[in-house]
Amino acid sequence: MNYLALGDSMSIDDYTGMTGGGAASQFSTLIAADEFQNLTYNGLTTANILVSLDEVAIQPDVITLTATGNDLLQAIMWAGSDQLHDQAVIQPLHRLSEILRHLSRYQ
């Protein structure tokens, strides 16, 4: 079974203080993945995840996705109140649809 992890810092090893301590690495061990490609990085937004799809080098059987936390944080920090709904909700949901459409080819 091949496992692909996509997303933001909710799944990375860096903050755990140990190699293999992040959620994606632990899940890979739990399911005894034959191949594991970890494309989770600190600070990724849904726009970054769309770009990272070009890096997929395996044919995954299982895919996890952690996303939208950084979209929300950036919108709150940088968007004006008239742009907040669009940048925090509408745009990320649109990009999530694109991500899922892309990932559906692995069915």
Side-chain angles (χ1 to χ4, degrees), residues 1-86:
M1 177 181 334
N2 298 335
Y3 169 44
L4 171 64
L6 295 165
D8 58 26
S9 62
M10 294 300 293
S11 299
I12 64 175
D13 291 339
D14 294 355
Y15 301 135
T16 65
M18 59 187 287
T19 301
S25 295
Q26 288 186 39
F27 186 66
S28 175
T29 300
L30 180 69
I31 65 170
D34 297 313
E35 287 189 67
F36 170 40
Q37 186 173 8
N38 190 353
L39 295 178
T40 60
Y41 302 100
N42 187 38
L44 285 190
T45 63
T46 50
N48 302 126
I49 293 168
L50 274 169
V51 172
S52 74
L53 293 173
D54 291 336
E55 299 174 40
V56 175
I58 64 171
Q59 178 67 36
D61 300 299
V62 176
I63 302 168
T64 57
L65 173 65
T66 54
T68 71
N70 291 311
D71 294 274
L72 178 61
L73 289 173
Q74 287 183 11
I76 290 170
M77 291 175 61
W78 304 112
S81 60
D82 58 328
Q83 300 170 322
L84 187 58
H85 182 258
D86 184 57

